[in-house]
Every structure is written in structure tokens, then in C-alpha cells.
Amino acid sequence: MKTALIIGSGIAGIASALRLRKKGYEVTVFEANDYVGGKLTTIEKEGYRWDAGPSLFTMPHLVDELFELYDIDPKTYFNYKRKDVLCNYFWEDTTTFSAVANQAEFVKQASETFETPTRAIEKYLDASKEKYDLTASIFLEKSLHKFSTYFSVETLTSLVQSYKLDTNTTLDSTNKKAFKNKHLVQLFNRYATYNGSSPYKTPGIMSMIPHLEMYYGTFFPEGGMISITESLYKLALDQGIIFRLSEGVQEIKRAGNKATQIITSQGTYDGDIIVSNMDIFSTYQHLLKEEKKPVKVLKQERSSSALIFYWGVNKEFPELDLHNIFFSDNYEEEFKQIFEEKSLSDDPTVYINITSKEEAADAPAGCENWFVMINAPGNFNQDWEALKTKARAAIIKKLNNMLKVDLESLITVEEVLDPITIERKTSSHRGSLYGAASNSKFAAFLRHPNFSSTMKNLYFCGGSVHPGGGIPLCLQSAKIVNDLIPDV
Ligand code: FAD
């Protein structure tokens, strides 16, 4: 039987393993950590459980597909429910807004809260849909690095209508053109952070994301986000995929123009196909030391990282939902500090995810499990201890003021994740959450392809290569890799 070796068990690594197994390969996954899942993991402490990384689940059908590949009803492994509320928003001037997923209802309520004509919001969301429909199949579902992608009806249709995509203007400018209300602009600007970019740099095409949330929905997996990893891992084991945990790969070897072997901390393995799910920068830096580097691609600006406090909070907050945002007063300054000064904002936008709202077992009775995250620059060897202390104080001050509490007295348990730890635990260059940033209109074309142009049989999947970061795109990368690899 032909063998496929996968480096890394992030979501894209597991998805690639499942797809190649279905193709008929004998598959082994090598994972440096003693657990699977990479960024999609969990933390447990003193009766609390938190999802450590991703908290927003969209496009669940891409996970379902992996079970359906084996003619298995996904529900026998994995269940989730659609959320009616997308996110609760809070501003310092006491404006609050609960964004609902139902588009007609969203338009009505946003129109009232933000004193904006319903027609303006409808027009924006219609344009959001059009952008998605024009580009999704080209940018998200195919390799951008194969000529065939450019000679399809979809691509030509999209090119003819490219003036509708707002690629020559920033997301902020697109939103300011659509709305006068500064809170509504800020609400839609926030979608830039879904791939770790700045709304003041990323192109207006990112305004397609609200459509994705409202049309396809946002979901909560039963048991939390970790059940995505756990259910796919179980499926993979049930299908005979071998996982070698705590066995980091050190080198990819070539013979002639083919990748043929990997060397790990424990041995040497031959493979007919090698797929790296390790961050592309780190793959070249550590596993392909002797190979010529695609310098321009690897130099691409990285997405933002994050600073996260996992707090056990000894009180329940009925005004909060699963996803909550407490906006900074000066959003532009916040992104300038992150991307240009490589520092943290003095008044950061705070995201709080509380899974105990959906899954009571995640916190003791009467308590909540807060995942409190602020956007952060990548790791450029800043003094993270000092930055963390300052950020913690700023977050607590902001939440005390906006929720009218003494938060410090309610925090009974604490864990922290910073960019250095993200980098160390996942090999993500600079601790970026989503690989390369989308801070330019060329970013999509500069992401590394899903295959090696110098070595046959070597492929790449995961958030640092095409089509980009986030669970849905990582799953798409595994699909693209699968399409590039011949059947056994
Ligand atoms: P990764 O998760 O990056 O895993 C790579 C794996 O490879 C790791 O397990 C690592 O140990 C292993 N590895 C590395 N080097 C080696 C080696 N040499 N040998 C063997 N194994 C190796 N996405 C969303 O969709 N929604 C969200 O709400 C969201 N929020 C996020 C919040 C945070 C805090 C973080 C960190 C990420 C978030 N993301 C979110 C992004 C999402 O988590 C990632 O895009 C996705 O999980 C990355 O998956 P991946 O397949 O690229 O692999």
C-alpha cells in the first residue's frame, strides 16, 4: 500500500489524513505535542474548562463532509447547534447591541440602534453576498497556483465584475462609505480580525464575511470547540490512521526531485506522499534547511496574535452571551499599535467567550468560564511579562467600568496564553493566529501554494498556506491538497 506521512495534527493535518486514507493511502500523522489538535485544544483547571484557541465555529458542513466521506452520519460523532445571537456588542458610551443571525431582524434592530436607514444596511449586506458569491469558489476552493483555476467560467465572471469587490479600497473606507454611524462602522470593521488583519489596511472585499455569518450561520459544538478535534481524531483512529504523538519531525529528505523521507526525533520513515501541516515558515526554516526558500512568500506580513486570559469568574452575567465584544474608543489607534508599533493598545477591544452559557458543565454552578482575548502583535521579542501585566490591568479597568463590577474580586482561577506560547506550542511563526495577514489586496496571491514547486510529492496544508487561516479555510486547504494528490 502507498504511504502518506502527515507532519502535524492541526485541524488541516487531521482532515488531510482522513482524505488521503479514503483515497487508499496508509496514513501516519507525526505530532510534536503529546496531544492532537494544535491550536484547537482545551484547558481544564479547578472545575472550569475553556476552549483554548478558536471559539467561533462557522461552516460546520466542512467538518460533516469528513464523516460523510466514510458514509458515516456525522451526528454519531459530532453535534452542534445554530446560534440565534451572533455577538453582544458594548461601547463605552453605554450603547449596546445584540446582533442576531436573522438578517431581516438584524437590519431592523441595527437600523433602530444605530439610527441608520434599513435600506443602507440591506444594500451593504446584499453587496456582502455578491462579493462572496463572486469569489468563494475561486479563492477558497481551488489552488490559486494552477493555470486551470484561471480558465473557468466562475473566474471569468468574477474578473468581469471585479469592480464590485472593493479590492482597491480598505474595509474601513468601504464601511464609512456605507454608513455614517461610527458604531456601525466599527461593528463591520471588526470582521477584519476574523483573519487577523487591520480594517484600515485589509481590502473592502472582507465585507463579505457578515454574509457568511448570517447566511451560513454561526454554531456551537456540543462539548465545546474541542469536540471538533476530538471527534475527527476518533474518526481517524477508527479508520486506521496512525498517530505518533510527541514525535516531532526534524527534516524532510529528498531523492532527486522527490520528497521521499522524513526524519523524526525517533526514526526515519519513507513516504510516497508527504504533507506538512506545520506552519510554512517553520517548515522551510527547520525541515527544509537546505532547500531554496520562497523569500517573497515567507516575508509576507503575519496576521495578529492574541493575548488571552482564561478566568474562572465567580458570578453569572445575564447581559453576556457566548460571544461578547467590548469595543475600544479608538479602533484605528488600536490597530496602529498592534501592526505598526508591535505593542498593545492602552484601551484594547476585549472579546469575551463564555462557553458555560451553552455548556453548563464548563463552569461550577453560579460561575462562568471567561475566555478574555485582546488582539496582539506577533512575537518580536517584546517584553511580554510587562505587556501582560499592563494589558491585564487595562482589561479589568475597562470591564469594571462597562459591567459595573469589581472583576478582580470575582476571578478565582487564571491561565494565560501569549504570542510566545502560541509560537512555541504550534510552531506558528511569531505566534500568528491565521498565517499571513490580509493587509494588502495581493495577500491571497502571496500565500504559499498547497504544493512544493521544487519537490514532487510534497504538499502543504493549514492556516499558513492557501487559502488561509481559520477552521473553514484550513479544512479547505486539506480538500485542495487532496485534489492535487493522485489516487492510489
Ligand atoms: P495548527 O493548529 O497550527 O497545528 C499545527 C500542528 O503541527 C501543531 O499541533 C504542532 O504541534 C504541529 N507541529 C508543528 N511542527 C511540527 C513538527 N516539526 N513535527 C510534528 N508536528 C509539528 N479560527 C476560527 O475558525 N475561529 C476562531 O474563533 C478562531 N480563533 C482563534 C483564537 C486563537 C487564540 C487561536 C490561536 C486561533 C484561532 N483561530 C480561529 C485560528 C485557528 O485556530 C487556526 O487557523 C487553525 O486551528 C490552524 O490549524 P492548522 O491546521 O493550520 O494547524
Side-chain angles (χ1 to χ4, degrees):
M1 207 186 230
K2 287 202 167 180
T3 55
L5 311 178
I6 315 277
I7 304 167
S9 69
I11 180 90
I14 303 178
S16 296
L18 282 164
R19 289 190 177 276
L20 292 180
R21 179 77 184 134
K22 181 64 191 170
K23 253 189 194 265
Y25 286 87
E26 197 161 86
V27 183
T28 306
V29 181
F30 295 84
E31 170 53 57
N33 293 323
D34 61 2
Y35 57 88
V36 295
K39 298 184 179 83
L40 198 44
T41 184
T42 190
I43 298 175
E44 288 183 36
K45 196 173 177 185
E46 295 175 32
Y48 289 91
R49 190 203 69 82
W50 300 267
D51 284 313
S55 55
L56 178 67
F57 185 35
T58 52
M59 308 190 101
H61 63 276
L62 295 172
V63 176
D64 286 347
E65 270 178 13
L66 295 166
F67 296 96
E68 285 155 4
L69 205 61
Y70 291 94
D71 292 326
I72 290 172
D73 176 0
K75 291 191 172 43
T76 57
Y77 283 75
F78 177 59
N79 284 286
Y80 50 83
K81 61 178 175 199
R82 194 176 173 128
K83 285 283 300 165
D84 293 332
V85 174
L86 297 174
C87 186
N88 281 357
Y89 292 98
F90 299 81
W91 283 269
E92 294 269 4
D93 66 1
T94 72
T95 304
T96 60
F97 182 65
S98 187
V100 290
N102 177 300
Q103 186 162 322
E105 232 3 77
F106 175 92
V107 170
K108 188 167 159 274
Q109 292 175 12
S111 165
E112 283 163 15
T113 305
F114 304 114
E115 296 169 349
T116 299
T118 52
R119 185 65 209 118
I121 307 170
E122 280 163 358
K123 206 172 139 200
Y124 183 86
L125 293 174
D126 288 348
S128 169
K129 175 181 182 331
E130 199 167 15
K131 283 171 193 150
Y132 181 80
D133 291 345
L134 279 171
T135 53
S137 71
I138 308 162
F139 284 90
L140 307 184
E141 292 166 17
K142 294 183 187 149
S143 171
L144 272 187
H145 309 85
K146 293 277 176 194
F147 280 117
S148 53
T149 302
Y150 295 90
F151 294 102
S152 65
V153 175
E154 290 120 306
T155 311
L156 294 175
T157 313
S158 178
L159 284 177
V160 169
Q161 301 188 62
S162 58
Y163 64 93
K164 293 181 178 169
L165 300 179
D166 285 326
T167 46
N168 287 322
T169 166
T170 65
L171 180 62
D172 178 59
S173 305
T174 302
N175 293 342
K176 280 191 178 133
K177 205 167 133 197
F179 308 115
K180 286 199 184 78
N181 183 288
K182 66 177 188 186
H183 288 343
L184 193 54
V185 169
Q186 193 170 22
L187 186 153
F188 283 115
N189 273 359
R190 185 191 153 235
Y191 285 96
T193 64
Y194 278 36
N195 59 19
S197 305
S198 160
Y200 306 94
K201 290 182 172 177
T202 201
I205 191 171
M206 290 300 161
S207 58
M208 72 163 83
I209 304 178
H211 166 67
L212 220 146
E213 272 201 346
M214 278 180 203
Y215 181 77
Y216 289 103
T218 67
F219 299 82
F220 182 76
E222 236 172 58
M225 297 294 283
I226 187 58
S227 67
I228 302 174
T229 297
E230 284 172 348
S231 60
L232 290 178
Y233 180 48
K234 181 168 187 315
L235 174 68
L237 291 174
D238 291 349
Q239 298 307 323
I241 294 169
I242 296 164
F243 285 80
R244 298 188 66 95
L245 303 184
S246 305
E247 187 167 349
V249 176
Q250 295 165 343
E251 195 178 344
I252 298 171
K253 297 283 263 184
R254 71 151 77 210
N257 64 352
K258 275 189 187 168
T260 53
Q261 237 179 18
I262 59 169
I263 298 178
T264 75
S265 51
Q266 293 173 37
T268 300
Y269 301 81
D270 293 331
D272 296 293
I273 295 289
I274 297 173
V275 181
S276 178
N277 173 221
M278 184 183 190
D279 184 288
I280 192 69
F281 187 96
S282 309
T283 299
Y284 276 99
Q285 193 178 35
H286 299 294
L287 311 189
L288 296 168
K289 281 192 195 124
E290 307 301 323
E291 300 295 325
K292 190 166 176 275
K293 314 267 181 292
V295 179
K296 213 166 156 191
V297 171
L298 300 184
K299 262 190 159 171
Q300 224 182 336
E301 182 184 19
R302 283 281 159 152
S303 83
S304 54
S305 188
L307 177 59
I308 303 153
F309 295 93
Y310 306 89
W311 285 333
V313 174
N314 189 11
K315 179 176 157 46
E316 288 180 298
F317 289 77
E319 64 272 52
L320 301 182
D321 198 71
L322 176 65
H323 304 288
N324 310 277
I325 286 282
F326 294 80
F327 273 122
S328 82
D329 251 355
N330 193 341
Y331 215 34
E332 190 159 5
E333 183 61 20
E334 182 177 358
F335 284 95
K336 194 172 149 230
Q337 283 176 306
I338 293 170
F339 283 101
E340 286 165 37
E341 295 164 20
K342 313 277 187 256
S343 189
L344 294 173
S345 169
D346 303 326
D347 171 26
T349 294
V350 180
Y351 165 69
I352 307 182
N353 174 247
I354 311 171
T355 62
S356 59
K357 296 280 184 196
E358 307 288 335
E359 201 69 58
D362 282 351
C367 305
E368 292 182 345
N369 66 336
W370 285 21
F371 162 114
V372 181
M373 177 172 123
I374 60 170
N375 294 313
N379 176 28
F380 289 85
N381 300 318
Q382 300 93 322
D383 180 352
W384 282 108
E385 287 313 311
L387 285 174
K388 276 192 286 192
T389 306
K390 206 171 141 209
R392 189 180 185 281
I395 293 169
I396 289 181
K397 185 171 161 220
K398 185 175 184 81
L399 295 177
N400 280 350
N401 181 35
M402 292 172 90
L403 288 170
K404 307 278 175 261
V405 283
D406 171 14
L407 192 55
E408 189 71 77
S409 67
L410 300 174
I411 301 171
T412 55
V413 183
E414 179 173 86
E415 283 289 314
V416 188
L417 185 69
D418 57 26
I420 317 179
T421 319
I422 296 173
E423 185 167 32
R424 182 171 45 78
K425 282 189 164 175
T426 66
S427 301
S428 201
H429 182 49
R430 300 206 186 284
S432 74
L433 305 191
Y434 302 95
S438 291
N439 281 340
S440 100
K441 64 176 174 175
F442 302 111
F445 298 96
L446 280 174
R447 281 207 179 85
H448 197 284
N450 303 97
F451 57 90
S452 162
S453 54
T454 57
M455 246 192 271
K456 279 191 185 158
N457 300 356
L458 176 59
Y459 298 88
F460 306 103
C461 65
S464 64
V465 295
H466 176 71
I471 297 167
L473 298 195
C474 288
L475 290 169
Q476 290 288 11
S477 77
K479 245 171 132 172
I480 297 170
V481 161
N482 179 67
D483 291 345
L484 295 168
I485 293 176
D487 289 339
V488 174

